[in-house]
Amino acid sequence: MRTLSISAALVCLALLSSVHAEEKLSMSDADKAMYAELLENNPAEMEVGEGEQLFNSLIGSAAYAKMLGVKEKDLPKTIAGFPRYVEPAKKVVTLSQSLQMALANQGKEVSKLESPEIIKMTAYIKSLANGQKTSIDVKANAHMKEMMALGQQVFEERRGGRGLSCNNCHSADIVGQRLRMQPLPDLGAKVTAAAGTWPAYRMTQGQMVTLDKRMQQCMENALLAKIPLGSREMVALEVYVTNKTKGNAIQIPGLKR
Amino acid sequence: MRKVIILGLATFLSAADLSQVIESPDATAILKKDALPVPKQYIMPEGCVSNEKAAIARGQYLFHNLNGKDAKENPPEGISRKLADGKDKQYGNCVACHNIEGAKGYGDIGPDMSKYKELYMDSGVRNAQFMYQKIADPRLDNPHTHMTVNLANGLFSEREVCDLVSYISAIKK
């Protein structure tokens, strides 16, 4: 079995230690017990295992490394730096998109970003970087700089049914405050480590979810129109949010509420 | 011979250029449609604030509930669970950020609204027009506000904003 997510354990500790606000906390005692149990045995481990099988039969790490133009032994380091500019795509891509490229390169059918195949394989290849730190370089080249700027703009733009932006709930001056009973997470904090811990098993959804899907869930809850997976704006958001958590350890699969 | 080289080059290029196989839909139209109008001043309509029970009940309902799908209690007369187009009607969910009398599971992003009339209106620091603008479009006097926009984006009607003002400024038992 894979090692447990330390950051998830920290989240758990943080939640358990704030019992003074008990009834206002978002997690009931039953939820906390379930969380502790899932920490022992993250259901998403199985999907990561399935991702490994799919990846090995459809692509393989030698072909994947070659497509990215890196040595196979450098894959963990390379993966820890995603989203990144990759030459054969001529643009900044997410790990999931790089799998679409690799599938096409192997002459295989290209599955949708939404598909279980891509989600499981994304979790698997990201887990190859477990123990590494997220190392995105938003100044690496003009493409990354441009995507970082776009990401910040999308993050801060107020829109939708309630006129809210991501920043309205995740800006530095507001994290830790409560929306209903829900503490607002600091996306960059060690305990959250947003980029290092997705794909994660989401208890409230009973399934493994990728970071872009998680961001779409926030959009849905806050009545912002959902930005489609893979679009420039969604990749830019992933760049921006990943950069917030730069330096935090990668621990896949994560475990989230 | 030349043809072969060109063909060879073409396959080489197509193998190397993987930009076309990536799923990358265009989101600009979605974002444009979702944009907000620029902040604007709103003047409270005549007879906006009411001490009628019905108006206060509507305001209370809008304040404490998220939308027609999630609300446990049935809405008071004058508010429906669904919109004409069949979609769920969205309410204010103000309690997500504000405490107020009788609030259950409130948040603390915005100021506590308990005893609002006694504490803020009777002393003259706040009035109904201030509240009306804040709810309609809070960006006008605070460009960095974390509060929701409720009239400028068509979430509510003028009357619904007035119902909210009536509820917040009502004396509560």
Side-chain angles (χ1 to χ4, degrees), chain B residues 6-16:
Chain B
I6 291 174
L7 254 179
L9 198 66
T11 27
F12 173 73
L13 280 180
S14 66

Side-chain angles (χ1 to χ4, degrees), chain A residues 29-80:
Chain A
D29 285 343
D31 281 352
K32 279 185 226 156
M34 184 158 113
Y35 189 92
E37 199 182 308
L38 292 180
L39 262 187
E40 293 291 324
N41 197 355
N42 189 332
E45 293 283 359
M46 209 171 82
E47 290 172 86
V48 175
E50 286 166 23
E52 178 172 9
Q53 284 179 1
L54 279 167
F55 181 80
N56 288 339
S57 68
L58 295 171
I59 301 166
S61 38
Y64 181 63
K66 191 164 170 229
M67 187 277 294
L68 289 176
V70 300
K71 294 202 184 88
E72 206 177 331
K73 71 166 178 38
D74 289 337
L75 270 183
K77 204 174 75 193
T78 309
I79 288 167

Side-chain angles (χ1 to χ4, degrees), chain A residues 190-204:
Chain A
K190 270 217 168 83
V191 288
T192 321
T197 47
W198 299 90
Y201 184 79
R202 256 204 107 182
M203 284 165 58
T204 46

Side-chain angles (χ1 to χ4, degrees), chain B residues 64-105:
Chain B
H64 292 268
N65 288 289
L66 172 65
N67 58 38
K69 191 169 133 243
D70 280 15
K72 287 198 186 76
E73 278 161 45
N74 279 328
E77 202 159 319
I79 298 178
S80 59
R81 283 188 188 263
K82 290 209 181 281
L83 295 171
D85 62 6
K87 288 198 184 130
D88 294 315
K89 161 90 178 151
Q90 297 294 334
Y91 307 139
N93 198 26
C94 317
V95 75
C97 296
H98 298 284
N99 186 20
I100 197 165
E101 286 86 351
K104 292 197 188 88

Side-chain angles (χ1 to χ4, degrees), chain B residues 113 115-123 168-171:
Chain B
M113 305 287 214
K115 290 198 188 317
Y116 194 83
K117 180 173 188 302
E118 293 92 317
L119 293 176
Y120 306 108
M121 298 182 80
D122 291 350
S123 62
I168 297 167
S169 55
I171 305 228

Side-chain angles (χ1 to χ4, degrees), chain A:
Chain A
M1 222 201 76
R2 226 164 292 267
T3 45
L4 297 171
S5 156
I6 294 173
S7 59
L10 285 174
V11 175
C12 183
L13 276 181
L15 284 166
L16 291 173
S17 64
S18 35
V19 273
H20 61 277
E22 196 146 37
E23 56 176 2
K24 288 173 194 137
L25 253 170
S26 50
M27 268 202 186
S28 67
D29 285 343
D31 281 352
K32 279 185 226 156
M34 184 158 113
Y35 189 92
E37 199 182 308
L38 292 180
L39 262 187
E40 293 291 324
N41 197 355
N42 189 332
E45 293 283 359
M46 209 171 82
E47 290 172 86
V48 175
E50 286 166 23
E52 178 172 9
Q53 284 179 1
L54 279 167
F55 181 80
N56 288 339
S57 68
L58 295 171
I59 301 166
S61 38
Y64 181 63
K66 191 164 170 229
M67 187 277 294
L68 289 176
V70 300
K71 294 202 184 88
E72 206 177 331
K73 71 166 178 38
D74 289 337
L75 270 183
K77 204 174 75 193
T78 309
I79 288 167
F82 267 85
R84 65 192 314 148
Y85 176 81
V86 297
E87 195 49 45
K90 309 250 181 305
K91 61 180 173 188
V92 175
V93 300
T94 62
L95 269 181
S96 303
Q97 287 174 318
S98 78
L99 286 171
Q100 290 188 318
M101 296 164 63
L103 282 171
N105 208 30
Q106 296 303 106
K108 300 283 179 354
E109 195 189 324
V110 178
S111 317
K112 288 274 188 200
L113 293 174
E114 190 98 40
S115 69
E117 292 79 25
I118 291 284
I119 292 174
K120 287 173 189 173
M121 286 197 285
T122 301
Y124 167 64
I125 53 167
K126 190 149 171 191
S127 78
L128 294 177
N130 275 354
Q132 302 254 341
K133 293 182 164 135
T134 45
S135 62
I136 186 169
D137 183 356
V138 295
K139 294 196 183 115
N141 48 56
H143 302 275
M144 285 299 282
K145 283 185 197 153
E146 196 188 310
M147 288 301 261
M148 176 66 183
L150 177 64
Q152 176 163 9
Q153 186 197 320
V154 177
F155 196 84
E156 291 176 357
E157 183 162 291
R158 303 184 67 131
R159 59 186 179 91
R162 297 193 192 275
L164 289 172
S165 72
C166 315
N167 200 46
N168 284 144
C169 292
H170 296 296
S171 77
D173 65 337
I174 202 162
V175 296
Q177 277 170 274
R178 271 178 296 109
L179 180 76
R180 278 269 182 183
M181 297 177 284
Q182 195 74 16
L184 294 171
D186 176 350
L187 300 182
K190 270 217 168 83
V191 288
T192 321
T197 47
W198 299 90
Y201 184 79
R202 256 204 107 182
M203 284 165 58
T204 46
Q205 305 242 317
Q207 60 174 336
M208 189 172 73
V209 175
T210 51
L211 179 62
D212 47 8
K213 281 292 260 187
R214 177 66 189 85
M215 297 196 289
Q216 278 191 337
Q217 288 164 0
C218 266
M219 294 176 207
E220 199 165 355
N221 288 341
L223 301 188
L224 280 68
K226 273 202 266 175
I227 302 178
L229 301 181
S231 62
R232 241 172 80 74
E233 287 78 1
M234 187 53 115
V235 176
L237 258 189
E238 191 162 333
V239 166
Y240 182 74
V241 168
T242 302
N243 189 55
K244 276 182 183 293
T245 82
K246 188 173 172 171
N248 282 331
I250 297 177
Q251 297 285 345
I252 304 301
L255 178 64
K256 304 279 177 169
R257 222 190 107 253

